[in-house]
Amino acid sequence: MGIDDRNEQGKGYQSFRMGLDIGMGILYLCLGTGALYLRYFGNMPLNATYAMVLGCLMIGYGLFRLYRGTIVLFRKRKVEKTRF
């Protein structure tokens, strides 16, 4: 096992990655919702099709990042519960 493997399996790395996934998921959800909102209720120089595709892709990716972060969070809590 190399040093890179140990770093990726450490508690610090997992906590950082979980926080990053949740934070970026929320950011992508906001950006996707903003792209859809600004296209229909504001002035955004995008074609309606491009705005819809961009917004939906950002929302989908944001949901994926949130899912990935929460799965790690629940696994971490489950492991901590079984230790005691």
Side-chain angles (χ1 to χ4, degrees), residues 23-38:
M24 291 301 292
I26 292 170
L27 179 68
Y28 275 109
L29 284 174
C30 292
L31 289 174
T33 305
L36 293 175
Y37 178 78
L38 286 176

Side-chain angles (χ1 to χ4, degrees), residues 1-3 9 11 23 26-28 34 50-51 55-56 58 61 63 68 76-77:
M1 179 187 316
I3 193 160
Q9 293 174 0
K11 290 180 183 180
I26 292 170
L27 179 68
Y28 275 109
Y50 292 140
C56 289
M58 287 182 138
Y61 187 63
L63 289 172
R68 196 166 68 175
K76 182 178 175 182
R77 286 185 181 174

Side-chain angles (χ1 to χ4, degrees), residues 54-72:
L54 179 66
C56 289
L57 284 175
M58 287 182 138
I59 290 171
Y61 187 63
L63 289 172
F64 169 72
R65 293 287 297 249
L66 277 173
Y67 172 75
R68 196 166 68 175
T70 54
I71 289 297
V72 172

Side-chain angles (χ1 to χ4, degrees), residues 73-84:
L73 178 67
F74 288 128
R75 285 183 185 165
K76 182 178 175 182
R77 286 185 181 174
K78 187 177 180 180
V79 167
E80 288 177 357
K81 239 183 195 182
T82 58
R83 285 185 185 173
F84 297 110

